[in-house]
Amino acid sequence: MRRIQNVIFDLGNVLVKFRPDEYLLSLFDDAELVDRLHRAVFSGPEWFMLDRGVITQEQAVERLIKQHPDLASEITLTFADWFNILKPISPNVEVVRSLKSSGYNLYVLSNFHKAAFEFICEKYDWFSLFDGLVISYQHQVLKPEPAIYQILLASCALIPEECVFIDDSLANLAGASEFGIKGIHYQSPDQLRLELNYILK
């Protein structure tokens, strides 16, 4: 059995917090409005088009306002400052630093918008610790579509049996498993450390 040499991280809710409900509740004191905005903005097709890199944030706002004209000001406000909800999950960033100092190769495989990804890359210096980054908008493909795993393996010259992938989505882990990549279903910092210690020992 091959030894794990490469650790692949998702971003959202693994290395950076992504809690849109909390963000919306900080803006609007109306549970029904928050629910409508969550469904329209964060669960609608435009969000996935942003992840796929086929529209810009400005185009997404324009499309959403056309669909929900009664929410025009709320949609504009929601998009105005949402990048700032992307805060590091500090214990997991420390795991990244520890793995790097132990000699592991580190990668990111994530569904993410262009502008948001550029924002966090510029803001957080620990992105320099990664040996490779495969982000959905760069390739117009999303996890768990097979092509994104093929791109990761080919562009980073990885052997699947030497990799472990950490993601909070079982569907994304199942997609990786189809290529022979081991997975850790992320649930908490303590659980992540325990499972990594077991797999890497």
Side-chain angles (χ1 to χ4, degrees), residues 68-170:
H68 309 278
D70 59 318
L71 296 177
S73 62
E74 290 85 355
I75 289 168
T76 301
L77 180 59
T78 296
F79 274 96
D81 195 39
W82 81 268
F83 292 175
N84 283 307
I85 71 173
L86 300 169
K87 306 289 188 186
I89 301 174
S90 297
N92 298 344
V93 174
E94 288 309 308
V95 167
V96 169
R97 296 188 191 279
S98 176
L99 290 169
K100 190 66 176 180
S101 66
S102 297
Y104 289 95
N105 304 312
L106 304 179
Y107 301 90
V108 167
L109 177 65
S110 189
N111 293 344
F112 232 82
H113 306 183
K114 180 179 189 292
F117 180 71
E118 290 173 349
F119 174 84
I120 59 173
C121 269
E122 183 176 338
K123 189 167 185 177
Y124 303 123
D125 62 356
W126 42 267
F127 275 95
S128 65
L129 299 172
F130 291 99
D131 298 279
L133 305 161
V134 173
I135 311 300
S136 58
Y137 80 86
Q138 299 168 338
H139 305 282
Q140 291 77 56
V141 63
L142 303 176
K143 295 179 299 181
E145 296 166 7
I148 200 165
Y149 305 101
Q150 293 171 327
I151 290 166
L152 172 73
L153 294 171
S155 64
C156 299
L158 301 179
I159 297 170
E161 294 78 13
E162 295 178 351
C163 300
V164 61
F165 176 40
I166 302 157
D167 200 299
D168 62 326
S169 163
L170 287 171

Side-chain angles (χ1 to χ4, degrees), residues 14-114:
V14 174
L15 292 180
V16 292
K17 296 175 185 174
F18 178 64
R19 297 281 188 263
D21 278 348
E22 292 178 10
Y23 171 60
L24 290 170
L25 285 167
S26 75
L27 296 177
F28 309 106
D29 187 22
D30 181 330
E32 184 177 342
L33 174 60
V34 164
D35 181 62
R36 283 191 68 196
L37 284 167
H38 188 282
R39 284 185 282 110
V41 174
F42 295 103
S43 299
E46 285 74 21
W47 196 257
F48 299 101
M49 293 170 75
L50 283 164
D51 275 349
R52 197 179 288 278
V54 295
I55 60 172
T56 65
Q57 181 162 297
E58 292 74 19
Q59 290 170 327
V61 171
E62 183 179 346
R63 287 170 60 104
L64 285 164
I65 288 173
K66 283 183 179 178
Q67 295 168 36
H68 309 278
D70 59 318
L71 296 177
S73 62
E74 290 85 355
I75 289 168
T76 301
L77 180 59
T78 296
F79 274 96
D81 195 39
W82 81 268
F83 292 175
N84 283 307
I85 71 173
L86 300 169
K87 306 289 188 186
I89 301 174
S90 297
N92 298 344
V93 174
E94 288 309 308
V95 167
V96 169
R97 296 188 191 279
S98 176
L99 290 169
K100 190 66 176 180
S101 66
S102 297
Y104 289 95
N105 304 312
L106 304 179
Y107 301 90
V108 167
L109 177 65
S110 189
N111 293 344
F112 232 82
H113 306 183
K114 180 179 189 292

